[in-house]
Amino acid sequence: MQTDTLSATFAALADPTRRAILARLSEGEASVSELAEPFSMSLPGISKHLKVLESAGLISRSRNAQWRPCKLETEPLKAVAGWLEGYRAMWEDRLDRLEAFLKLTDPNAREH
Amino acid sequence: MQTDTLSATFAALADPTRRAILARLSEGEASVSELAEPFSMSLPGISKHLKVLESAGLISRSRNAQWRPCKLETEPLKAVAGWLEGYRAMWEDRLDRLEAFLKLTDPNAREH
DNA sequence: CCATTATTTAACCAATAAGCTAATTAACTG
DNA sequence: CAGTTAATTAGCTTATTGGTTAAATAATGG
C-alpha cells in the first residue's frame, strides 16, 4: 500500500466486502462478529479487512469488555469527496451538452 | 482486480501516478508520451497504468497516426460520487454538531 | 482457576500488481 | 525499402493482497 492517505483510502474502498462493512457501520457501531455475520468469510479474514479500514482511517475501534466495537470515520470520505470536486465540473459540463443535444433532437422541439 | 465496476474504479484511483494522469487529462487529451513525460517511470510502466485506467473506464483511447491520444471519461467518477452521497449526510451532520459546539464555546458568544 | 466468548496473530498459499528491460508492432518519412 | 518515432507486448522479479487454518491473547463468568 502507498504512503499517501488518498491512495490508502481508495485502496481500502476497492473491495466490496470492505464497502459492505462501511455500509453496515453507517447504521451504527458494531462488533467484529456482528460485522462478520453477513459474510461467508472466516473471522480472521474480516479482522484483516478491518485492519485495512482502520489504517486508512475509515473506522476507529474502541473497547467494551471482550468486544471491540467499530465506528465509521468520515474524514477519509470527505477527502475523497474533495478530490472528486476537481472533476465534477467535467461531467456536469458534459451533462449540459447532452441536454442541449437532446433539446435539438427532441421530436417536440422539431415540430416548431 | 474484482469484477464489480466500483471496485475496479477505486483500485484504479488508488495509485498516485494514475491520479496524476487523470489530473493531466482533465486539462485535455494527451498522447502516451506526453502523459509519461512528468514521471521517472519507464514508458511500458505508464502504458500499464493507462491500461488499468482504460479497463476501469476512466479513460478512452483513440488513434491519430502513431499516437494514441487518451481522453478522460467521467462515468466512473460519477459512480464514485453517487456512492459517496450515501455517506455525505454523516459528515455534514458531524459538521453541524461541530458548529454547534464552536458556537457554545465562542468567546464572543460567552460575552452575552 | 477453568471454561467460554471475542478477537487477533502467525504462518502459509495463490493470485495480482507494479515495476523493469528487451523485443515487437504500427505508422509515418525520406 | 530503410529508418525513426510511438506505443504495446512479453517475460521476468519482487511485493502486496486476500484468503485460509491453527494457535494465542483478552475479558468475563462460574
Side-chain angles (χ1 to χ4, degrees):
Chain A
M1 198 172 293
Q2 295 82 212
T3 47
D4 67 298
T5 63
L6 205 47
S7 295
T9 303
F10 279 128
L13 295 176
D15 182 287
T17 302
R18 288 195 290 261
R19 290 198 307 278
I21 288 172
L22 292 182
R24 165 65 187 80
L25 288 177
S26 75
E27 289 159 21
E29 298 195 14
S31 70
V32 176
S33 25
E34 282 170 346
L35 290 172
E37 196 272 325
F39 303 100
S40 56
M41 197 178 300
S42 71
L43 214 56
I46 298 292
S47 200
K48 273 196 178 181
H49 280 305
L50 292 175
K51 198 172 208 170
V52 172
L53 289 169
E54 186 180 28
S55 57
L58 283 159
I59 66 168
S60 61
R61 288 191 267 192
S62 52
R63 178 158 255 185
N64 176 10
Q66 66 256 237
W67 293 273
R68 251 135 287 193
C70 298
K71 182 163 145 273
L72 181 64
E73 296 292 338
T74 57
E75 274 307 309
L77 296 180
K78 282 169 76 168
V80 169
W83 179 85
L84 263 185
E85 279 314 303
Y87 294 89
R88 177 179 295 276
M90 214 131 297
W91 72 71
E92 285 184 345
D93 186 46
R94 222 165 262 200
L95 184 61
D96 288 346
R97 276 187 264 130
L98 174 63
E99 280 168 353
F101 171 74
L102 290 175
K103 209 169 194 173
L104 273 173
T105 58
D106 180 10
N108 295 326
R110 278 204 205 127
E111 281 173 13
H112 301 290
Chain B
M1 197 173 292
Q2 294 83 209
T3 49
D4 67 298
T5 63
L6 204 47
S7 295
T9 303
F10 280 128
L13 295 176
D15 183 286
T17 302
R18 288 196 289 260
R19 290 198 306 280
I21 288 172
L22 293 182
R24 166 64 187 80
L25 288 177
S26 75
E27 289 159 19
E29 299 196 12
S31 70
V32 175
S33 27
E34 282 170 347
L35 290 172
E37 196 272 325
F39 304 101
S40 56
M41 196 176 303
S42 71
L43 212 56
I46 298 292
S47 200
K48 272 197 180 180
H49 281 306
L50 293 176
K51 199 172 207 169
V52 172
L53 290 170
E54 186 179 30
S55 57
L58 283 159
I59 67 169
S60 61
R61 287 191 268 191
S62 52
R63 179 157 254 186
N64 177 8
Q66 65 256 238
W67 293 273
R68 252 134 287 191
C70 298
K71 183 164 144 270
L72 181 62
E73 295 292 337
T74 56
E75 273 308 308
L77 296 180
K78 283 169 77 169
V80 169
W83 179 85
L84 262 185
E85 279 314 304
Y87 295 89
R88 177 179 296 276
M90 215 132 294
W91 72 73
E92 286 186 343
D93 186 46
R94 224 165 261 200
L95 184 61
D96 287 346
R97 275 186 264 130
L98 174 63
E99 280 169 352
F101 172 73
L102 290 176
K103 207 167 195 174
L104 273 172
T105 56
D106 179 12
N108 295 327
R110 277 207 202 125
E111 282 173 15
H112 300 289

